[in-house]
Amino acid sequence: MENKKVLLHACCAICSGYPITFLKDIGYDVAVYFCNNNFDTLEEYNRRLDAEKTLCEHFGVELIIEPYNPQVYLDYVKGLENEPEGGARCIKCFELRLKETAQKAKDLGIKSFTTSMIISPHKNFKNLCLVGDTVAKEYSLEFLGIDFKKKDGFLKTNKISKELGLYRQNYCGCSFAKNSYNR
């Protein structure tokens, strides 16, 4: 019996390590989608992409890479630049990345998608699932709203990251968040 396929949006290798193993363990054939136009620099994009390549190679999963185009993100969140971290700008960012993931899943004939952003303790699980479910309906797909943080998921994903020596960042990737940490 062939596994069901899922497209996992990956924000970074730190966050996607455990979700990959979890999804594989419950019977999914995982394809990882690296689409992150929210990153503040090409250097940051490439650092995270290199780490994601290492992770996907380690787990033997397909990695689909979307070219970096930060203007897409900047246009999408225009007018929300001064929103606080975790506010309306972040919701729009989730929406953008999940819409891009849903479109890629649709293009590839994959019926289910999810995101590694769910594992971050800095991201609101309910908000991400609400956005994911809304996007899934729009694209006639299934959003897997799995709380990867449960059963020490965040500790497990950090352990994987450390064992593989992956790049570890301290912000979500956007310049607005980076600036809020430096205030």
Side-chain angles (χ1 to χ4, degrees):
M1 179 177 157
E2 191 174 320
N3 287 346
K4 295 186 290 184
K5 191 144 188 165
V6 63
L7 189 61
L8 171 67
H9 166 263
C11 56
C12 64
I14 296 170
C15 290
S16 56
Y18 179 66
I20 290 170
T21 62
F22 181 89
L23 290 165
K24 286 176 76 170
D25 287 349
I26 63 170
Y28 281 94
D29 176 14
V30 180
V32 173
Y33 184 49
F34 192 83
C35 180
N36 297 292
N37 292 315
N38 62 306
F39 294 162
D40 62 340
T41 65
L42 181 59
E43 178 184 19
E44 184 66 22
Y45 174 89
N46 285 330
R47 284 175 141 175
R48 294 188 193 201
L49 177 57
D50 288 345
E52 197 68 46
K53 287 177 180 176
T54 299
L55 182 75
C56 289
E57 185 176 307
H58 175 78
F59 285 121
V61 296
E62 177 184 10
L63 175 60
I64 301 161
I65 303 164
E66 203 61 46
Y68 179 60
N69 185 355
Q71 196 59 50
V72 170
Y73 167 73
L74 294 171
D75 290 345
Y76 205 77
V77 300
K78 189 167 181 66
L80 301 172
E81 296 87 351
N82 295 316
E83 283 289 312
E85 202 48 31
R89 183 188 62 251
C90 295
I91 298 294
K92 287 294 281 186
C93 181
F94 300 158
E95 180 183 85
L96 172 64
R97 293 196 278 168
L98 291 178
K99 281 185 174 192
E100 290 168 324
T101 304
Q103 183 60 60
K104 182 59 75 174
K106 195 96 170 158
D107 293 347
L108 297 172
I110 299 172
K111 306 280 186 225
S112 301
F113 71 100
T114 192
T115 179
S116 65
M117 292 186 287
I118 290 174
I119 203 165
S120 172
H122 307 291
K123 303 292 183 257
N124 184 297
F125 175 72
K126 288 181 182 177
N127 285 345
L128 272 164
C129 287
L130 181 62
V131 172
D133 288 339
T134 301
V135 169
K137 285 179 188 160
E138 182 180 332
Y139 287 82
S140 300
L141 298 172
E142 174 189 27
F143 178 73
L144 300 180
I146 299 168
D147 191 348
F148 297 117
K149 285 187 278 288
K150 289 191 174 192
K151 297 185 181 179
D152 293 326
F154 190 67
L155 291 173
K156 291 173 184 173
T157 209
N158 274 294
K159 184 178 181 220
I160 292 166
S161 172
K162 286 177 186 172
E163 286 173 356
L164 295 176
L166 301 176
Y167 168 65
R168 301 178 60 79
Q169 70 282 342
N170 62 359
Y171 70 113
C172 70
C174 83
S175 60
F176 308 112
K178 190 177 194 177
N179 292 338
S180 74
Y181 291 120
N182 293 330
R183 287 183 186 156

